[in-house]
Structures are given as C-alpha cells and as structure tokens.
Amino acid sequence: MQTVFNCKSDKKSDVLILGIETSCDETAASVVKNGREILSNVVWSQIDVHRLYGGVVPEIASRNHIAVIDKVTELALQQAGVTLSDISAVAVTYGAGLVGALLVGVSFAKAVCQASGLPLIAVNHIEGHICANYLTYPDLQPPYMCLLTSGGHTAVVRVDDYDGICVLRSTVDDAVGEAFDKVARVLGLPYPGGPQIDRLASQGERTYNFHSVVISNGNFSYSGLKTAVINLVHNAEQRGEALNAADVAASFNVAAVDGLVTALEQERQKSGMNTVAVAGGVGANSYLRKRLLQMNDGVRVCLPRLDLCGDNAAMIASRGYFHYLKGQFADFTLNACPTLRLRGEKPHD
Ligand code: KG4
Ligand code: ZN
C-alpha cells in the first residue's frame, strides 16, 4: 500500500506533522512536533448525534466528517500557531474503520498535499493508538509489551521498534470495546457503553462469576461473556426479577479485563521485558488502569493520558512522524482500507 518517493528536503530540524483522523465518529486534526510534543489536538466528536440511534450510523458519520473536516484542520493549525508552510508532512488514517468515514479523511489529506506539495503519510489507526504512549511518556522507547484494547481490536503485541510489532495474542471474535458497548446496550445504558459500564461498575459488587475471556490456546473470546450477560438479563426479565445493574456491570467489567491483564503479564514475563503499555479506548477503563498499576514492582506501566485513549489525530501524527523518519510516504493512489490489519496479525478460523 505504501510506496516511497522523494519528498522535498526538510526545511528545519523540527518535524511538524499534521495528523488527520476520521475512521469512526470523531473528526480530528492535530499538529505534533517530533512525534512527541502536541502543539494542538482538535477532536470534534459526533457522539451526541449517534447516541440518538444507539450506535454509530456510518452514513451520518461520513456526512458529518465532510461538514467539519476543513474547519477542524484550520483550527488545529491555528491553535498550534503554524501554517501549512511550517508543516513537514500530512499523516492520515487510512484503515481500519468505516469505509465512508475513512474516505473523507484520506481524500481531504490528499487534497491538502496536492495543493501544498507536502508529502502524504498513510497511518494504520491501531498503530496510531500505540503512539499515544509516546505523547504521554516522551522518554518511552521500544521494546515493550502493549495491550491493544479498542472497539475493533483486542490483542497483546510486542512492540520491537517504532516500525515493528508482533501480535502475540488476539481475539477470535468480538473486540473488548464491542463487548462493553453491547453489554451496556442490554443494560439500557446509552452509547458509547464502555464509559457507562465503567461508571456503573464503580457503584456495584462483583456478585456474578463470569468465566474467563482467555480461551485454551491463549487467545481471547468475548462472544461467550457477552452472551452470558445477555442471557442473565433476559432470564431475569422473563421471570420478572429485578437485577442490580451495577453488580452486573461490575462483574462483567472484572471478567472482561482480568483475562487481558493476566495475558499481558504472562507475555511480559516470557519476554523478560520490564515495560508494558496500553492502547485504545478501553485503556481509559478505571478498573483496567488500577489492575495494571498493581503489577509487580520493577515493571514500568505506561497508561496513555485519558484524552489520548480514544480516537484523536495527535496519535496519528505521532505515528506519521516515525514513518517520516524512515521515508515511508504514500502516493495519491492511497485508498481507504476498512479491514486493514496489523502487520503480523493473522485472521482466526
Ligand atoms: O479506540 P477507540 O476509541 O475506537 C476504536 O478504534 O475502536 O475505542 C472505542 C471503544 C468503545 O467500545 C468504547 O465503549 C470503549 O472504547 N471505551 C471504554 C471506556 N472508554 C471508552 N470501555 C471501557 N471503559 C471505558 N472507560
Ligand atoms: Zn480507535
């Protein structure tokens, strides 16, 4: 997908990347200096619109991206105190995500590059999530073990260097964020469900013992856990019994998170590494953050800033910087790739 061509020579020693992110329901633009320092980070969220429908409506998401992408980008440049002539390259998410939503960002980034002569960089959204750690911990360097926990991905990966990751474990069905959203829906909580479950769980007790999400081959499965909660709620409804939603949320939250922490720790011990990090929206989960901070002494635990756990363009600009350093640029044939995988990630049977 990515091809290399000669970009114009570096104007200054600082590399400023304009990042653009439109993979789902956040329209975002950001300027990041040298991959680590956020100069601006504008996120225009459509959550209020999609909440009316109980989830993201792809067509509405695309239309909203089109309506605001230019203003969001202008604002990001303005807040960074720069113009396009100060920018070294434009980095854009080209997958994974909703195809129409991705297309808006990719087309916009191509147009900016066409008009300005700036080089274009194609960024894998999930690799971007990992880079939220470099923005939070400017001294962090690979190698380390990372737990990927988003709405579409769940994996334990070894981050070997800025350009190389190895997927060690992943989900065979639903992603953890998806399970949070579906369980929230059955409990009658509004979209997006993850933060709602997180909040409700803190008011409840772990009274239900749901089984582990780690399956026999060490990978994860969330469909069984999700179905167990749905059956519990439906059976109670049929019997006319009242369930304590906070207890259900707390029990689900523990089951959804504990297996991930155990798997991360097992892989860390196997590798002999002493640094772990988290990436993706579920990284904002308070129980997950608490569990990780309880890891053994001597382990450095990196938790991205809360505002960088969810979708944003600063993480895309940071990822773009490392592509920039390696001369990995895209040409104008770049297209949206809704099912883009992580390098080394194999589809499960
Ligand atoms: O990484 P992300 O922003 O988007 C994707 O790339 O998928 O992740 C979104 C997911 C949603 O499923 C959302 O419910 C979940 O992250 N999430 C949380 C929390 N905040 C967001 N899940 C559990 N606890 C949270 N505090
Ligand atoms: Zn994301």
Coordinates of all heavy atoms in Angstrom, one line a residue, residues 111-160:
A111 N -6.0 16.0 -0.9 CA -6.2 17.4 -1.5 C -5.2 18.4 -0.9 O -4.7 19.2 -1.6 CB -7.7 17.8 -1.2
V112 N -5.0 18.3 0.5 CA -4.1 19.2 1.1 C -2.7 19.0 0.6 O -2.0 20.0 0.3 CB -4.1 19.0 2.7 CG1 -3.0 19.8 3.3 CG2 -5.5 19.4 3.3
C113 N -2.3 17.8 0.4 CA -1.0 17.5 -0.1 C -0.8 17.9 -1.6 O 0.2 18.5 -2.0 CB -0.6 16.0 0.0 SG -0.4 15.6 1.8
Q114 N -1.9 17.7 -2.3 CA -1.8 18.1 -3.8 C -1.7 19.6 -3.9 O -0.8 20.1 -4.7 CB -3.2 17.7 -4.4 CG -3.4 18.0 -5.8 CD -2.6 17.0 -6.7 OE1 -1.5 17.2 -7.0 NE2 -3.3 16.0 -7.2
A115 N -2.4 20.3 -3.0 CA -2.4 21.8 -3.1 C -1.1 22.4 -2.5 O -0.6 23.4 -3.0 CB -3.6 22.4 -2.4
S116 N -0.5 21.8 -1.5 CA 0.6 22.3 -0.8 C 2.0 21.8 -1.2 O 3.0 22.3 -0.9 CB 0.4 22.1 0.7 OG 0.4 20.7 1.0
G117 N 1.9 20.6 -1.9 CA 3.2 19.9 -2.2 C 3.8 19.2 -1.1 O 4.9 18.6 -1.2
L118 N 3.0 19.1 0.0 CA 3.6 18.3 1.2 C 3.5 16.8 0.9 O 2.5 16.4 0.3 CB 2.7 18.6 2.5 CG 3.0 20.0 3.1 CD1 1.9 20.3 4.1 CD2 4.4 20.1 3.7
P119 N 4.4 16.0 1.5 CA 4.3 14.6 1.4 C 3.1 14.0 2.2 O 2.7 14.6 3.2 CB 5.6 14.1 1.9 CG 6.3 15.2 2.6 CD 5.6 16.4 2.2
L120 N 2.6 12.9 1.7 CA 1.4 12.2 2.4 C 1.9 11.0 3.1 O 2.8 10.2 2.5 CB 0.4 11.9 1.3 CG -0.8 11.1 1.6 CD1 -1.8 12.0 2.5 CD2 -1.6 10.6 0.3
I121 N 1.4 10.7 4.3 CA 1.8 9.5 5.0 C 0.5 8.8 5.4 O -0.4 9.4 5.9 CB 2.6 9.9 6.3 CG1 3.9 10.6 5.9 CG2 2.9 8.7 7.1 CD1 4.6 11.2 7.1
A122 N 0.5 7.5 5.1 CA -0.7 6.6 5.4 C -0.4 5.9 6.8 O 0.6 5.3 7.0 CB -0.8 5.6 4.3
V123 N -1.4 6.1 7.7 CA -1.3 5.6 9.0 C -2.3 4.5 9.3 O -3.5 4.7 9.1 CB -1.3 6.7 10.1 CG1 -1.3 6.2 11.5 CG2 -0.1 7.7 9.9
N124 N -1.9 3.4 9.9 CA -2.7 2.4 10.4 C -3.3 2.9 11.8 O -2.5 3.2 12.7 CB -1.9 1.1 10.6 CG -2.8 -0.1 11.2 OD1 -3.6 0.1 12.1 ND2 -2.5 -1.2 10.6
H125 N -4.6 2.9 11.9 CA -5.2 3.5 13.1 C -4.7 2.9 14.4 O -4.5 3.6 15.4 CB -6.8 3.4 12.9 CG -7.5 3.9 14.1 ND1 -7.8 5.2 14.2 CD2 -8.1 3.3 15.2 CE1 -8.5 5.4 15.3 NE2 -8.7 4.2 15.9
I126 N -4.6 1.6 14.4 CA -4.2 0.9 15.6 C -2.8 1.1 16.0 O -2.4 1.3 17.1 CB -4.5 -0.7 15.5 CG1 -6.0 -0.9 15.3 CG2 -3.9 -1.5 16.6 CD1 -6.8 -0.5 16.5
E127 N -1.9 1.2 15.0 CA -0.5 1.6 15.2 C -0.5 3.1 15.8 O 0.3 3.4 16.7 CB 0.3 1.6 14.0 CG 0.5 0.2 13.5 CD 1.4 0.1 12.2 OE1 1.9 1.1 11.7 OE2 1.5 -1.0 11.7
G128 N -1.5 3.9 15.4 CA -1.6 5.2 15.9 C -1.9 5.1 17.4 O -1.3 5.8 18.2
H129 N -2.9 4.3 17.8 CA -3.2 4.2 19.2 C -2.0 3.9 20.1 O -1.8 4.4 21.2 CB -4.3 3.1 19.4 CG -5.7 3.5 19.3 ND1 -6.2 4.5 20.1 CD2 -6.7 3.2 18.4 CE1 -7.5 4.8 19.8 NE2 -7.8 4.0 18.7
I130 N -1.1 3.0 19.6 CA 0.1 2.7 20.3 C 0.9 3.9 20.6 O 1.5 4.1 21.7 CB 0.9 1.6 19.6 CG1 0.1 0.3 19.5 CG2 2.3 1.4 20.3 CD1 0.8 -0.8 18.7
C131 N 0.9 4.8 19.6 CA 1.8 6.0 19.7 C 1.3 7.0 20.7 O 2.0 8.0 21.1 CB 2.0 6.7 18.3 SG 2.9 5.6 17.3
A132 N 0.0 6.9 21.2 CA -0.5 7.8 22.2 C 0.4 7.7 23.4 O 0.6 8.6 24.2 CB -1.9 7.4 22.6
N133 N 1.1 6.5 23.6 CA 2.1 6.4 24.7 C 3.3 7.3 24.5 O 3.8 7.8 25.5 CB 2.5 4.9 24.8 CG 1.4 4.0 25.3 OD1 1.1 4.1 26.5 ND2 0.8 3.3 24.4
Y134 N 3.8 7.5 23.3 CA 4.9 8.4 23.1 C 4.6 9.8 23.4 O 5.5 10.6 23.8 CB 5.5 8.3 21.7 CG 5.9 6.8 21.3 CD1 5.4 6.2 20.1 CD2 6.7 6.1 22.2 CE1 5.8 4.9 19.8 CE2 7.0 4.8 21.9 CZ 6.5 4.2 20.7 OH 6.9 2.9 20.4
L135 N 3.3 10.2 23.2 CA 2.9 11.5 23.5 C 2.7 11.7 25.1 O 2.9 12.8 25.6 CB 1.5 11.8 22.9 CG 1.6 11.7 21.3 CD1 0.2 11.7 20.7 CD2 2.3 12.9 20.8
T136 N 2.4 10.7 25.8 CA 2.2 10.7 27.2 C 3.6 10.6 27.9 O 3.8 11.2 29.0 CB 1.2 9.6 27.7 OG1 0.1 9.7 26.9 CG2 0.9 9.8 29.1
Y137 N 4.4 9.7 27.4 CA 5.7 9.5 28.0 C 6.8 9.8 27.0 O 7.3 8.9 26.3 CB 5.8 8.0 28.5 CG 4.7 7.6 29.4 CD1 3.6 7.0 28.9 CD2 4.9 7.8 30.8 CE1 2.5 6.7 29.8 CE2 3.9 7.4 31.7 CZ 2.7 6.9 31.2 OH 1.7 6.5 32.1
P138 N 7.3 11.0 26.9 CA 8.2 11.4 25.8 C 9.5 10.6 25.9 O 10.3 10.6 24.9 CB 8.5 12.9 26.1 CG 7.3 13.4 26.8 CD 6.8 12.2 27.7
D139 N 9.8 10.0 27.0 CA 11.1 9.2 27.1 C 10.9 7.7 26.7 O 11.8 7.0 26.7 CB 11.7 9.3 28.5 CG 10.7 8.6 29.5 OD1 9.5 8.8 29.4 OD2 11.2 7.9 30.4
L140 N 9.6 7.3 26.5 CA 9.4 5.9 26.3 C 10.0 5.4 24.9 O 9.8 6.1 23.9 CB 7.8 5.6 26.3 CG 7.4 4.2 25.9 CD1 7.8 3.2 26.9 CD2 5.9 4.1 25.7
Q141 N 10.7 4.3 25.0 CA 11.2 3.7 23.7 C 10.9 2.3 23.7 O 10.9 1.6 24.7 CB 12.7 3.9 23.7 CG 13.1 5.4 23.6 CD 14.7 5.6 23.6 OE1 15.4 4.6 23.6 NE2 15.1 6.8 23.5
P142 N 10.7 1.7 22.5 CA 10.6 0.2 22.4 C 12.0 -0.4 22.8 O 13.0 0.3 22.8 CB 10.4 0.0 20.9 CG 10.0 1.4 20.4 CD 10.7 2.4 21.2
P143 N 12.0 -1.7 23.2 CA 10.9 -2.6 23.2 C 10.0 -2.6 24.4 O 10.5 -2.2 25.5 CB 11.6 -3.9 23.1 CG 12.9 -3.8 23.8 CD 13.2 -2.3 23.6
Y144 N 8.7 -2.9 24.3 CA 7.8 -3.1 25.4 C 6.7 -3.9 25.0 O 6.5 -4.2 23.8 CB 7.4 -1.7 26.0 CG 6.7 -0.8 25.0 CD1 5.3 -0.8 24.7 CD2 7.5 0.1 24.2 CE1 4.8 0.0 23.8 CE2 6.9 1.0 23.3 CZ 5.5 0.9 23.1 OH 5.0 1.7 22.1
M145 N 5.9 -4.4 25.9 CA 4.7 -5.2 25.6 C 3.5 -4.3 25.7 O 3.4 -3.4 26.6 CB 4.6 -6.2 26.8 CG 3.9 -7.5 26.4 SD 4.5 -8.3 25.0 CE 5.9 -9.1 25.6
C146 N 2.6 -4.4 24.7 CA 1.4 -3.5 24.7 C 0.1 -4.2 24.6 O 0.0 -5.2 23.8 CB 1.6 -2.5 23.5 SG 0.3 -1.2 23.5
L147 N -0.8 -3.8 25.4 CA -2.2 -4.3 25.3 C -3.1 -3.4 24.5 O -3.2 -2.2 24.8 CB -2.7 -4.4 26.8 CG -4.1 -4.9 27.0 CD1 -4.2 -6.4 26.5 CD2 -4.5 -4.8 28.5
L148 N -3.5 -3.9 23.4 CA -4.4 -3.1 22.5 C -5.9 -3.4 22.8 O -6.3 -4.6 22.7 CB -4.2 -3.6 21.0 CG -2.9 -3.3 20.3 CD1 -2.9 -3.8 18.9 CD2 -2.7 -1.8 20.3
T149 N -6.6 -2.4 23.2 CA -8.0 -2.6 23.6 C -8.9 -1.5 23.0 O -9.1 -0.5 23.6 CB -8.0 -2.4 25.2 OG1 -7.6 -1.1 25.5 CG2 -7.2 -3.4 25.9
S150 N -9.3 -1.8 21.8 CA -10.2 -0.7 21.2 C -11.6 -1.3 20.9 O -11.9 -2.4 21.3 CB -9.5 -0.2 19.9 OG -9.7 -1.1 18.9
G151 N -12.4 -0.5 20.2 CA -13.7 -1.0 19.8 C -13.6 -2.1 18.7 O -14.5 -2.9 18.5
G152 N -12.5 -2.2 18.0 CA -12.4 -3.1 16.9 C -11.2 -4.1 17.1 O -11.1 -5.1 16.3
H153 N -10.4 -3.9 18.0 CA -9.2 -4.7 18.2 C -9.0 -5.1 19.7 O -9.2 -4.3 20.6 CB -7.9 -4.0 17.8 CG -7.6 -4.2 16.3 ND1 -8.3 -3.4 15.4 CD2 -6.8 -5.0 15.7 CE1 -7.9 -3.8 14.2 NE2 -6.9 -4.7 14.3
T154 N -8.5 -6.3 19.9 CA -8.1 -6.7 21.2 C -6.9 -7.6 21.0 O -7.0 -8.7 20.4 CB -9.2 -7.5 22.0 OG1 -10.3 -6.7 22.0 CG2 -8.8 -7.8 23.4
A155 N -5.7 -7.2 21.5 CA -4.5 -8.0 21.3 C -3.4 -7.7 22.3 O -3.4 -6.6 22.9 CB -4.0 -7.8 19.9
V156 N -2.5 -8.6 22.5 CA -1.3 -8.4 23.2 C -0.2 -8.4 22.1 O -0.1 -9.3 21.3 CB -1.0 -9.5 24.2 CG1 0.4 -9.2 24.9 CG2 -2.1 -9.5 25.3
V157 N 0.5 -7.3 22.0 CA 1.5 -7.2 21.0 C 2.9 -6.8 21.6 O 2.9 -6.2 22.6 CB 1.2 -6.1 19.9 CG1 -0.1 -6.5 19.2 CG2 1.2 -4.7 20.4
R158 N 3.9 -7.3 21.0 CA 5.3 -6.9 21.4 C 5.7 -5.8 20.4 O 5.7 -6.0 19.2 CB 6.2 -8.1 21.2 CG 7.5 -8.0 22.0 CD 8.4 -9.2 21.8 NE 8.8 -9.3 20.4 CZ 8.7 -10.4 19.6 NH1 8.3 -11.6 20.2 NH2 9.0 -10.4 18.4
V159 N 6.0 -4.7 21.0 CA 6.5 -3.5 20.2 C 8.0 -3.6 20.1 O 8.7 -3.3 21.1 CB 6.0 -2.2 20.8 CG1 6.4 -1.0 19.9 CG2 4.5 -2.2 20.9
D160 N 8.6 -4.1 19.0 CA 10.0 -4.3 18.9 C 10.8 -3.0 18.7 O 11.8 -2.8 19.2 CB 10.3 -5.3 17.8 CG 9.7 -6.7 18.2 OD1 9.9 -7.1 19.4 OD2 9.2 -7.4 17.3

